Amino acid sequence: AQDRIAAGEALGMAKASYYPVIGLRGGASRWQTHAFMPNGLSGSGLDIGSTVGPTDDYSVGGFARYTLFERGAKKAGVASARSAGEAAQYEEDAVRQVMIFAVHEAFFALAVAVELKDVADKNLANTELHLATAGDRSAVGGATAADVLRAQVEVDSAKSEQVRAVCRVSVARGNLNAAMGRQVEEPLNIDATMPAREGQGDVSFTNSIAEAELSRPEIKAADAAVRTETGRGRRGQ
């Protein structure tokens, strides 16, 4: 944002070159000097001292300047400053798009982590139910000790996966907080229900490239930077 503001000020300075310049000058001085008289004047009876001054000098004056013809240098300067302002604006838009994308990415990563945790919770509940069933069947002779051990291993594996899922949720929540400029440890709940949106249908690869060339702020910023350098080159000629 500061680059855009600075570019706007530079554009104002470039436009100011079209206005006339009016000024006022003034000064004051006091001086005194020693005069070296010719030899023939000494002793002639003339009362001529060897010191001149002190003397006070004052001056005042004004000036005005307006350029009538300068081969397009001012116009090129204004065009260059305007292009620099556009480049700064497009660069700011590019940064904003990157920030928005980072928030989207972190949001959906958290949504996925939450869904995976729900799956891990359900899987753990199922394996614990299987373990309880295997224990009951083993008590009446319907299952072997190996069946019970296998069910216990599945429960332990499900618990480990649940722990990893909880950690993934914590990391994803911290990433989303950081992307939004919040404290990483702040509590945060999301609503991952996405409303139905009307899309534009199928988009071809060629149309996607063409739309990117017209819409991407990085490309617009690069074009404005080229025009800025071109304007500077014209001013230097």
Side-chain angles (χ1 to χ4, degrees), residues 133-198:
T133 302
D136 294 339
R137 292 179 59 194
S138 176
V140 297
T144 64
D147 295 331
V148 177
L149 181 60
R150 185 180 302 107
Q152 183 63 54
V153 171
E154 291 177 354
V155 170
D156 294 339
S157 177
K159 287 182 178 179
S160 299
E161 181 58 33
Q162 186 194 41
V163 171
R164 287 192 291 268
V166 171
C167 293
R168 284 193 292 264
V169 170
S170 299
V171 172
R173 182 176 290 112
N175 289 336
L176 180 56
N177 276 328
M180 294 189 298
R182 293 156 48 103
Q183 295 295 325
V184 175
E185 66 276 5
E186 285 190 49
L188 175 67
N189 294 318
I190 63 171
D191 181 9
T193 303
M194 301 299 296
R197 299 179 62 182
E198 295 183 0

Side-chain angles (χ1 to χ4, degrees), residues 83-171:
S83 298
E86 293 176 0
Q89 179 63 57
Y90 293 140
E91 289 173 357
E92 181 179 339
D93 293 341
V95 172
R96 185 178 293 107
Q97 279 197 355
V98 171
M99 179 186 65
I100 293 173
F101 175 75
V103 173
H104 276 75
E105 187 178 33
F107 177 89
F108 289 114
L110 178 57
V112 170
V114 171
E115 290 294 330
L116 291 177
K117 181 183 177 298
D118 291 341
V119 172
D121 293 340
K122 293 178 181 178
N123 185 46
L124 176 59
N126 290 333
T127 55
E128 289 177 339
L129 179 61
H130 293 163
L131 177 60
T133 302
D136 294 339
R137 292 179 59 194
S138 176
V140 297
T144 64
D147 295 331
V148 177
L149 181 60
R150 185 180 302 107
Q152 183 63 54
V153 171
E154 291 177 354
V155 170
D156 294 339
S157 177
K159 287 182 178 179
S160 299
E161 181 58 33
Q162 186 194 41
V163 171
R164 287 192 291 268
V166 171
C167 293
R168 284 193 292 264
V169 170
S170 299
V171 172

Side-chain angles (χ1 to χ4, degrees), residues 31-55:
W31 61 273
Q32 178 177 326
T33 185
H34 182 76
F36 295 93
M37 307 304 295
N39 293 330
L41 294 179
S42 59
S44 61
L46 297 177
D47 187 12
I48 299 177
S50 62
T51 301
V52 180
T55 301

Side-chain angles (χ1 to χ4, degrees), residues 43-75:
S44 61
L46 297 177
D47 187 12
I48 299 177
S50 62
T51 301
V52 180
T55 301
D56 295 329
D57 287 341
Y58 300 96
S59 64
V60 63
F63 66 92
R65 183 174 67 249
Y66 182 73
T67 304
L68 298 177
F69 180 72
E70 38 75 41
R71 299 178 58 187
K74 293 182 180 179
K75 182 178 180 180

